[in-house]
């Protein structure tokens, strides 16, 4: 069924993004391969969003290189991103998904219903997307991101402004998606969420990769001072 | 007071000459808005999404053209269409078509400039999402114009207001010929100068009423559309 995972692995080599006098991402080397979700953690301004955007191919690097499945020029057909504040097109919920399907040859109506059901929005397809609640919009955006059957899905603080019930709904979908073989790379502020979902954890601080390892090791035996402090809930400044 | 009473009578009794004038006014102005929209919306949207040297100059000129004096536009079209002009062989001078062309020239900059502003604002919101979906340049323009459609109604209304209200351009290229190129605004100008104030006032009332009705219809359509599509 699934086409070869052409976009995997995503390999960042010495990825650096400089904006003006500020180095947002500082020489990050990281390989994102098929498997359990990778969770990016770190304080505000650590570079989580920029790392996700760069890995999606949206933010060009100042130095370093990114390859998708070994290619540096892979178009983003098999990767998708869910922004922290996704933009709902001024159309119905179903039309938002249809829009993402627009560039593919998949059969429409069935696929739209399947995706709406996957995110628990059955029957809401005809509602204007902008009239949905915050949690519903986030789930619709997730369905839209999944419409083109991505090999890798980036999520940027996707539950940051949601209540626990809406957060659980999103986490359940992420788990289901990951179980179906989609590589999930997500950033979060929520250490509990990182424990619940993370297969491996990446700790970023001031644009640098501090520590990267399996979630169990990371939480039980953090190697760096920064990781120990961050896990203990101390302020990392 | 007597003038206003007889103007009202004229409208209520349904003078056929009056209705011919009203009909032609609507045909000319609405056709001009349609032509101007077909030119102005794509042009404004493209201008919103492209970056090139001299773009700022183009935007300033476009915005300035919103205030293009109708008599100047009329004169330019007159020179183009006159017997000895470059398009004289078309034989369009003093026809309703010439009036549509002249009003299109007046309205297109308004629609283009307002479209540019609307689409550019929407683009800043949609940019990341469309980039992530790998949408090409033509798809971007189509998406933004479609999603801005309710705001663009306002641009069309502004254009219609300009077309319906102006007299300078169409009196030059149309000639105000009775029963052929006479519109509400040109008739008002003529009747006022002739001293036939009742007819002028009657036409003025009709013109204002039509503009209010069309704006009300557009407003209603926009509200209904927004409720349906969000």
């Amino acid at each position: 069924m699934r086409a070869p995972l052409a976009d995997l692995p995503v390999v960042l080599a010495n990825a650096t993004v400089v904006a003006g006098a500020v180095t947002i991402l500082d020489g990050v080397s990281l390989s994102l391969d098929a498997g359990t979700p990778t969770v990016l953690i770190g304080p505000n301004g650590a570079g989580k969003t920029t790392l996700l955007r760069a890995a999606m191919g949206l933010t060009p690097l100042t130095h370093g290189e990114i390859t998708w499945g070994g290619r540096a020029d892979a178009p983003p057909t098999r990767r998708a991103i869910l922004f922290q504040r996704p933009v709902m097109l001024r159309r119905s919920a179903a039309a938002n998904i249809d829009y993402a399907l627009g560039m593919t040859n998949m059969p429409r109506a069935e696929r739209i219903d399947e995706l709406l059901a996957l995110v628990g929005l059955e029957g809401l397809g005809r509602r204007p997307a902008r009239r949905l609640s915050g949690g519903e919009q986030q789930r619709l955006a997730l369905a839209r991101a999944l419409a083109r059957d991505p090999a890798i899905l980036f999520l940027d603080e996707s539950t940051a402004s949601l209540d626990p019930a809406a957060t659980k709904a999103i986490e359940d979908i992420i788990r289901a998606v990951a179980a179906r073989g989609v590589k999930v790379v997500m950033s979060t502020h929520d250490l509990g969420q990182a424990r619940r979902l993370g297969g491996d954890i990446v700790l970023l601080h001031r644009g640098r990769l501090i520590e990267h390892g399996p979630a169990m090791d990371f939480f039980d035996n953090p190697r760096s001072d920064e990781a120990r402090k961050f896990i203990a809930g101390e302020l990392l400044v | 007071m007597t003038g206003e009473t007889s103007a009202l009578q004229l409208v209520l009794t349904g003078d056929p000459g009056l209705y011919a004038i009203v009909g032609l006014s609507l045909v000319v102005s609405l056709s001009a808005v349609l032509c101007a929209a077909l030119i102005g919306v794509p042009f404004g949207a493209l201008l919103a999404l492209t970056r090139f040297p001299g773009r700022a100059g183009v935007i300033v000129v476009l915005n300035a053209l919103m205030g293009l004096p109708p008599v100047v536009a009329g004169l330019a079209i007159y020179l183009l269409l006159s017997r000895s002009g470059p398009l004289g062989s078309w034989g369009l001078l003093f026809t309703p078509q010439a009036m549509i062309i002249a009003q299109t020239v007046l309205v297109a900059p308004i629609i283009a400039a307002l479209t540019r502003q609307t689409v550019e604002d929407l683009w800043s919101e949609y940019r990341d999402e469309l980039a992530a979906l790998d949408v090409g340049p033509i798809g971007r323009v189509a998406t933004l114009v479609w999603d801005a459609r309710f705001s663009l109604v306002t641009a069309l209304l502004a254009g219609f207001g300009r077309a319906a209200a102006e007299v300078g351009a169409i009196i030059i290229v149309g000639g105000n010929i009775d029963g052929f190129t006479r519109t509400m605004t040109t008739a008002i100008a003529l009747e006022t100068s002739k001293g036939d104030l009742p007819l002028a006032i009657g036409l003025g009332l009709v013109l204002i009423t039509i503009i209010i009705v069309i704006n009300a219809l557009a407003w209603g359509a926009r509200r209904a559309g927004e409720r349906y599509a969000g």
Side-chain angles (χ1 to χ4, degrees):
Chain A
M1 262 297 279
R2 191 173 290 278
L5 301 182
D7 274 13
L8 292 177
V10 179
V11 179
L12 294 87
N14 193 29
T16 302
V17 174
V18 180
V22 186
T23 302
I24 305 172
L25 213 54
D26 192 357
V28 170
S29 295
L30 179 64
S31 177
L32 301 165
D33 211 338
T36 51
T38 298
V39 178
L40 309 181
I41 58 174
N44 281 335
K48 302 188 293 292
T49 297
T50 303
L51 175 56
L52 289 172
R53 289 179 58 97
M56 179 66 194
L58 292 174
T59 297
L61 298 183
T62 314
H63 306 292
E65 196 192 28
I66 301 184
T67 55
W68 295 272
R71 294 173 55 199
D73 60 347
T77 47
R78 295 298 310 280
R79 54 186 187 266
I81 187 164
L82 182 57
F83 295 105
Q84 187 169 358
R85 278 182 294 275
V87 174
M88 296 288 110
L89 300 181
R90 288 159 172 79
R91 309 167 190 218
S92 69
N96 266 270
I97 298 178
D98 192 43
Y99 185 83
L101 287 172
M103 297 92 207
T104 65
N105 301 318
M106 299 178 187
R108 297 298 178 79
E110 258 176 60
R111 180 84 177 132
I112 292 171
D113 287 345
E114 181 191 318
L115 286 160
L116 285 171
L118 174 71
V119 299
L121 293 176
E122 311 86 330
L124 294 184
R126 299 185 61 183
R127 289 265 292 277
R130 289 179 177 247
R131 298 288 158 86
L132 299 173
S133 72
E136 287 169 339
Q137 288 196 9
Q138 199 67 260
R139 278 185 279 154
L140 177 60
L142 192 46
R144 187 173 65 189
L146 292 168
R148 297 159 81 183
D149 196 17
I152 183 164
L153 173 65
F154 301 101
L155 300 117
D156 189 8
E157 309 244 0
S158 295
T159 60
S161 53
L162 301 181
D163 65 18
T167 299
K168 180 172 187 312
I170 295 277
E171 288 188 6
D172 289 345
I173 300 164
I174 293 173
R175 249 183 234 104
V177 165
R180 283 162 43 160
V182 178
K183 172 65 181 182
V184 171
V185 181
M186 57 185 289
S187 67
T188 184
H189 260 118
D190 179 350
L191 277 178
Q193 185 169 61
R195 286 179 194 271
R196 288 191 295 275
L197 295 175
D200 57 320
I201 307 288
V202 173
L203 174 65
L204 292 173
H205 185 38
R206 293 179 177 170
R208 290 206 316 273
L209 192 155
I210 303 296
E211 191 164 337
H212 179 202
M216 295 250 267
D217 293 355
F218 179 87
F219 286 113
D220 295 344
N221 299 301
R223 297 189 302 273
S224 59
D225 279 348
E226 286 94 338
R228 266 190 292 277
K229 277 185 175 176
F230 197 71
I231 295 164
E234 288 176 41
L235 296 176
L236 213 53
V237 289
Chain B
M1 282 316 283
T2 53
E4 285 169 32
T5 316
S6 24
L8 202 61
Q9 278 166 357
L10 206 59
V11 172
L12 291 178
T13 52
D15 183 63
L18 183 95
Y19 283 118
I21 290 174
V22 171
L24 179 69
S25 301
L26 282 177
V27 167
V28 167
S29 293
L30 290 174
S31 304
V33 169
L34 181 68
C35 294
L38 291 176
I39 299 165
V41 170
F43 181 79
L46 273 177
L47 189 56
L49 296 189
T50 49
R51 296 291 179 270
F52 54 89
R55 177 175 179 272
V58 172
I59 291 174
V60 168
V61 169
L62 186 62
N63 289 344
L65 282 178
M66 289 202 287
L68 180 67
V71 286
V72 175
L75 176 61
I77 299 300
Y78 181 92
L79 292 173
L80 272 179
L81 297 180
S82 68
R83 290 271 168 246
S84 51
L87 304 178
S89 57
W90 292 7
L92 287 179
L93 198 59
F94 305 131
T95 65
Q97 288 90 321
M99 297 156 77
I100 293 172
I101 293 171
Q103 290 203 334
T104 300
V105 169
L106 287 175
V107 173
I110 294 181
I111 294 181
L114 295 178
T115 299
R116 203 271 310 165
Q117 188 64 57
T118 303
V119 168
E120 203 165 309
D121 291 346
L122 198 60
W123 173 231
S124 64
E125 185 189 338
Y126 278 28
R127 184 197 311 253
D128 282 344
E129 210 75 65
L130 298 190
L133 288 170
D134 200 24
V135 180
I138 295 169
R140 284 178 209 162
V141 169
T143 302
L144 292 166
V145 168
W146 178 249
D147 276 35
R149 60 198 179 279
F150 301 118
S151 307
L152 293 181
V153 168
T154 307
L156 298 188
L157 283 179
F160 175 75
R162 166 96 150 157
E166 76 90 19
V167 59
I170 50 174
I171 208 162
I172 291 179
V173 302
N176 194 24
I177 303 166
D178 192 11
F180 186 51
T181 59
R182 183 161 298 170
T183 66
M184 286 187 273
T185 53
T186 60
I188 290 170
L190 177 72
E191 300 304 334
T192 304
S193 63
K194 272 171 37 185
D196 188 353
L197 295 181
L199 184 55
I201 294 171
L203 285 166
L205 290 174
V206 173
L207 182 56
I208 288 171
T209 306
I210 286 174
I211 290 176
I212 290 174
V213 167
I214 286 186
N215 274 273
L217 288 175
W219 172 261
R222 179 180 171 161
R223 289 299 298 271
E226 280 178 336
R227 202 170 304 128
Y228 177 72

